[in-house]
């Protein structure tokens, strides 16, 4: 049971890290401070923080890869 909990914690931390990296590498026309906030929210809240803040950015400022 303890191994399963440890594995879930590692996977959750890697998920949050993945979304923080995705926010940091995004090509968006916003200030560096706002981009750092987006990365921080993605690191803390994971996908919820990433998509919440992405919803606040106007669509014309987001460039697709």
């Amino acid at each position: 049971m303890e191994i399963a909990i440890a594995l879930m914690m590692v996977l959750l931390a890697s998920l949050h890290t993945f979304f923080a990296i995705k926010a940091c590498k995004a090509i968006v026309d916003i200030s560096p401070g706002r981009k750092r906030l987006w990365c921080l929210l993605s690191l803390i809240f994971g996908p919820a923080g990433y998509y919440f803040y992405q919803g606040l950015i106007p669509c014309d400022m987001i460039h697709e890869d």
Side-chain angles (χ1 to χ4, degrees):
M1 185 67 160
E2 295 163 358
I3 294 173
I5 292 172
L7 181 62
M8 284 187 284
M9 293 296 289
V10 168
L11 291 173
L12 183 64
S14 64
L15 178 71
H16 285 230
T17 304
F18 171 75
F19 275 95
I21 291 170
K22 188 175 176 181
C24 289
K25 290 186 175 187
I27 302 171
V28 182
D29 294 330
I30 58 175
S31 68
R34 288 184 67 194
K35 196 163 192 179
R36 280 190 290 264
L37 175 64
W38 189 17
C39 292
L40 182 65
L41 287 174
S42 299
L43 187 61
I44 294 170
F45 298 112
Y50 177 84
Y51 289 116
F52 169 76
Y53 198 81
Q54 186 180 26
L56 298 177
I57 300 171
C59 291
D60 58 339
M61 297 179 95
I62 299 173
H63 302 287
E64 296 293 324
D65 291 356

